[in-house]
Amino acid sequence: MTLSVEITQELPRTGDWKFLAHLVTYEKREFRSEAYTTLCFRARDWAPGDRALVWLKLPAPANLEPGLYSVMAGLFDTDSPPPNYARAVTRDLEGRPLPEGLILGPVRLGEPLPPAGAPEAQLSYRLGSAIRLDGYTLQPADPSPGQPFDLTLFWSTDDLIDKSYTVFVQLLDENDKIVVQRDFHPSNNALPTDVWEPGIPVEDYLQLVRPEGSAGKKLRLIVGMYYLADGSRLPVYNPDGRQIGDYVKIATFSP
């Protein structure tokens, strides 16, 4: 990995520092491997405006399980040998300290994803600028009240995505009241949209239950995505490129 570093303010004139990177699991931040620069960076030799490219070879252990990982990067004082590094405080652009240091990623490592199956119902809807809902499989197609049903969603992307979006699946009654809802990150929370790659299909599988008290009610099953930070939904475009709202109607369940 290569880091581009720029000094933006005067540094203390003492201390020798090395750059450090830890490979950790994406969700629990469990340590897997580390790397640090061979050369020291002497603080007294740096001045505001100086720039450097820092190269680190971060190993992936031979027994690394396939999945999502993050890289935690920072600086440590060479007078404090591992594992008890005395690290420099990492801050964001507004000066707020970052308790975990600089977090890069997520990145997907390990075996490639298995090929996706084929949806029973083909679709061609676009969400936002790049995400596509290519189809779904629904079994049974019209569940009775109290009956479970299985839904598989088939996604892809035309381009890299810079944000992690949340999928929502809702069952609405005739008054648009939510009677069932499920929110999650794609592929059982294992593949956030910001690590999707163009041309690589992504599947979502979930099981829901039609409520017991829904007899005599007509229900709609809808799907969409939103950005968790502000709750804004991605606009949905039909195959002709026309915006049709902020969700896709998957099915209608009979009363």
Side-chain angles (χ1 to χ4, degrees):
M1 59 179 289
T2 303
L3 300 176
S4 177
V5 180
E6 180 179 358
I7 304 302
T8 59
Q9 62 185 26
E10 192 72 28
L11 296 174
R13 307 314 293 171
T14 59
D16 292 337
W17 299 85
K18 288 186 177 183
F19 285 91
L20 167 76
H22 280 173
L23 180 67
V24 296
T25 57
Y26 176 59
E27 292 186 349
K28 297 183 178 181
R29 302 289 193 254
E30 296 171 336
F31 175 82
R32 290 295 181 265
S33 69
E34 70 176 2
Y36 47 87
T37 51
T38 303
L39 296 177
C40 294
F41 293 82
R42 297 184 298 180
R44 62 181 179 272
D45 293 337
W46 288 55
D50 287 349
R51 296 182 179 183
L53 290 178
V54 179
W55 184 79
L56 292 158
K57 186 175 182 180
L58 188 58
N63 60 348
L64 189 71
E65 295 183 357
L68 289 181
Y69 293 86
S70 296
V71 176
M72 300 174 66
L75 280 167
F76 75 95
D77 190 337
T78 57
D79 291 332
S80 59
N84 300 313
Y85 303 106
R87 301 192 188 189
V89 176
T90 304
R91 302 179 184 274
D92 64 16
L93 294 178
E94 297 179 0
R96 295 171 298 196
L98 302 174
E100 294 184 308
L102 178 63
I103 305 296
L104 306 175
V107 294
R108 189 173 70 238
L109 299 175
E111 296 296 327
L113 293 174
E120 290 188 356
Q122 300 281 344
L123 299 175
S124 183
Y125 290 99
R126 177 167 55 86
L127 285 72
S129 61
I131 297 174
R132 293 194 175 275
L133 180 58
D134 299 316
Y136 68 91
T137 297
L138 179 63
Q139 293 290 344
D142 191 6
S144 304
Q147 183 179 12
F149 60 93
D150 298 324
L151 175 65
T152 304
L153 303 170
F154 296 80
W155 306 95
S156 64
T157 181
D158 296 329
D159 201 352
L160 297 177
I161 305 166
D162 62 355
K163 291 181 179 179
S164 175
Y165 292 101
T166 301
V167 180
F168 68 87
V169 177
Q170 296 176 349
L171 200 56
L172 308 178
D173 66 12
E174 294 166 312
N175 298 315
D176 287 338
K177 179 182 177 181
I178 300 173
V179 295
V180 173
Q181 178 167 340
R182 185 77 60 83
D183 294 48
F184 52 90
H185 290 297
S187 195
N188 194 27
N189 296 312
L191 282 179
T193 55
D194 54 358
V195 301
W196 288 12
E197 300 175 23
I200 304 297
V202 176
E203 286 186 26
D204 276 324
Y205 167 79
L206 63 157
Q207 185 178 80
L208 301 170
V209 179
R210 178 172 177 171
E212 289 277 4
S214 63
K217 297 180 180 179
K218 188 177 182 180
L219 305 178
R220 290 183 299 136
L221 182 64
I222 67 169
V223 172
M225 286 190 180
Y226 65 92
Y227 186 46
L228 184 60
D230 58 16
S232 59
R233 291 185 177 183
L234 286 177
V236 176
Y237 301 87
N238 69 7
D240 296 326
R242 181 172 59 88
Q243 184 175 344
I244 59 172
D246 56 14
Y247 64 83
V248 176
K249 187 181 79 169
I250 295 295
T252 300
F253 297 164
S254 59

